Amino acid sequence: MNDLLAPLLTPEGRALLAEVRGTAAADELAVATRLRRAHPAELVSAALAQARLRQRAAAKFGDADADRMFFTPNGVEQSTRASVASYRAGRLRALGVTSVADLCCGIGGDAIALARAGIRVLAVDRDPLTAAAARANADALGLAGLIEVREADVTEVDTAGYDAVFVDPARRGGRGRIFDPEAYSPPLSWAVEAARRAARTAALKIAPGVPHEAVPADAEAEWISDAGDVKEAVLWFGTAPGTVRATLLPGPRTLPGRGLPDPRVRPVGRYLYEPDGAVIRAHLVAEVAEELDGGLVDPTIAYITADTLRATAWATPYEITDRLPFNVKKLKALLRERGVGTLTVKKRGSAVEPEELRRKVKPQGPNAATVFLTRVAGAPTMLVGAPARPATGAGPS
């Protein structure tokens, strides 16, 4: 067990973790001073650091799990959100998978979701501290019987005895995010070959900004968003080669691609629809535009406009009240006339920063509005409106 984590797994360490749970940053110094009278300083520091990580991790794992789990700084940053991991585990289970080799397992977020779906997991990571955290998490959540954690180089692991392979390459380095798939650790090309060697099914987690031309022809590509935020893309092997889909959580709601041509460009209508980020990343705006009987405001901008308001899961509708050429003074006058004090600024195809615009127009008043900084038929344009609420229920499932 790694020396940085082992002391926290002792009875004294666990008692300290319970005592410092929920400590606010402003109180840390006082708490540390008090606890160091009875405990080693290094252990107190480790417990407080772990408490901070657990607080950060609660957004991904929920309070109940985060309060029992063990994290590293990179583990909190790079681990899969529990809702996304649970969705993927459910899909693997539905495919008949009963065992998975989880390569680059990190602190075990995906392994936990897989085990909770009743799937046996081999979780592999080459970093000693990370592997130790994954092992501790499997034990803390009562899943050690289904999760075997192995500290090893994933490129040297034999996965022949498993139904499926899941690979989550590291996409961060010393300088931050890595955008070149071949600079992942391990590279995407290695992960693809590992997936192709899998007995039945494989899933590769990659950055949602991956170029479509980097998607292998024999893979299914899925972009996933959770509560409107795009979280990841997944390459699936052994499912539906060549297909593209966008999946929205909670739900799940899945939009399959149908290979439609680009939507037509049309004049701005009464409503503007902002597609979910997963829909945009998956290049499925045309499918949504067809459903809404709409078109694009500009051939290069992923805003859909239509004359009617329809319920849809795939886009957020706004009712447009004003269309102006880009002009800060005109916008300021309009907002003052409408008594707008709460201004939401959205942009697509504009170099203007929302905070900069808010400072310039100085909104004041009791009302709210949304302004879209975009291009309409190539011209810089401001579209002003407010969220619209369709009379019918939720969109397609």
Side-chain angles (χ1 to χ4, degrees):
M1 184 66 68
N2 193 284
D3 289 343
L4 293 176
L5 186 59
L8 295 176
L9 301 179
T10 64
E12 183 182 12
R14 291 179 185 276
L16 264 180
L17 284 172
E19 190 165 353
V20 301
R21 179 184 293 127
T23 299
D27 299 329
E28 280 193 5
L29 180 58
V31 171
T33 301
R34 175 174 56 82
L35 292 176
R36 283 170 182 162
R37 297 180 188 134
H39 303 279
E42 295 81 1
L43 183 58
V44 172
S45 295
L48 285 168
Q50 189 62 221
R52 287 195 299 271
L53 292 174
R54 286 177 168 183
Q55 289 171 12
R56 287 172 53 195
K60 285 188 174 183
F61 292 92
D63 290 333
D65 280 352
D67 276 347
R68 292 185 289 165
M69 293 173 66
F70 295 87
F71 299 96
T72 65
N74 284 340
V76 172
E77 185 70 30
Q78 298 181 23
S79 57
T80 304
R81 182 178 289 265
S83 55
V84 179
S86 178
Y87 160 73
R88 181 166 40 244
R91 188 172 177 197
L92 284 166
R93 185 68 185 178
L95 290 168
V97 170
T98 61
S99 61
V100 171
D102 179 1
L103 308 181
C104 309
C105 69
I107 54 92
D110 280 282
I112 290 165
L114 290 164
R116 284 176 168 168
I119 297 172
R120 179 172 59 89
V121 186
L122 170 64
V124 184
D125 203 285
R126 68 180 180 182
D127 178 68
L129 177 60
T130 302
R135 191 174 293 110
N137 289 334
D139 183 64
L141 298 179
L143 299 169
L146 283 170
I147 301 174
E148 174 196 347
V149 179
R150 188 180 303 174
E151 181 190 326
D153 186 329
V154 296
T155 64
E156 299 174 359
V157 174
D158 182 7
T159 63
Y162 294 84
D163 292 342
V165 169
F166 172 65
V167 189
D168 182 5
R171 295 180 300 282
R172 284 185 177 272
R175 297 183 178 179
R177 291 181 181 177
I178 296 172
F179 297 98
D180 178 8
E182 285 307 296
Y184 292 173
S185 180
L188 180 60
S189 57
W190 179 89
V192 168
E193 289 309 310
R196 288 170 175 157
R197 291 194 300 269
R200 293 173 50 183
T201 309
L204 312 182
K205 175 182 170 181
I206 56 177
V210 66
H212 278 235
E213 54 268 25
V215 175
D218 56 339
E220 170 197 336
E222 179 180 32
W223 277 261
I224 302 173
S225 69
D226 186 16
D229 293 330
V230 184
K231 294 302 178 184
E232 62 183 57
V234 184
L235 301 182
W236 292 89
F237 291 80
T239 54
T243 62
V244 173
R245 64 169 66 196
T247 295
L248 279 54
L249 302 176
R253 294 183 173 95
T254 295
L255 177 68
R258 292 184 286 120
L260 298 181
D262 291 341
R264 64 192 174 100
V265 178
R266 53 149 290 174
V268 176
R270 182 176 178 181
Y271 297 99
L272 185 77
Y273 292 84
E274 182 182 27
D276 184 274
V279 170
I280 296 173
R281 294 285 194 177
H283 295 182
L284 298 181
V285 174
E287 279 75 0
V288 179
E290 182 181 78
E291 175 189 309
L292 298 171
D293 191 23
L296 300 182
V297 299
D298 184 276
T300 64
I301 302 296
Y303 283 141
I304 299 169
T305 187
D307 297 317
T308 56
L309 179 60
R310 300 185 183 183
T312 177
W314 317 118
T316 302
Y318 295 83
E319 184 171 9
I320 299 302
T321 57
D322 300 273
R323 171 182 170 179
L324 307 169
F326 183 82
N327 185 299
V328 176
K329 289 184 178 180
K330 288 185 178 180
L331 178 63
K332 186 175 182 178
L334 177 66
L335 298 178
R336 186 185 303 115
E337 177 186 331
R338 303 279 170 82
V340 172
T342 303
L343 181 66
T344 300
V345 181
K346 293 178 172 287
K347 56 176 256 181
R348 193 167 299 253
S350 172
V352 178
E353 292 301 325
E355 284 305 318
E356 176 189 353
L357 182 68
R358 265 190 287 266
R359 283 196 302 269
K360 289 181 177 179
V361 299
K362 300 176 182 177
Q364 294 181 358
N367 299 320
T370 300
V371 60
F372 293 87
L373 307 179
T374 187
R375 292 193 301 271
V376 173
T381 303
M382 300 181 296
L383 301 175
V384 182
R389 312 218 181 278
T392 54
S397 60

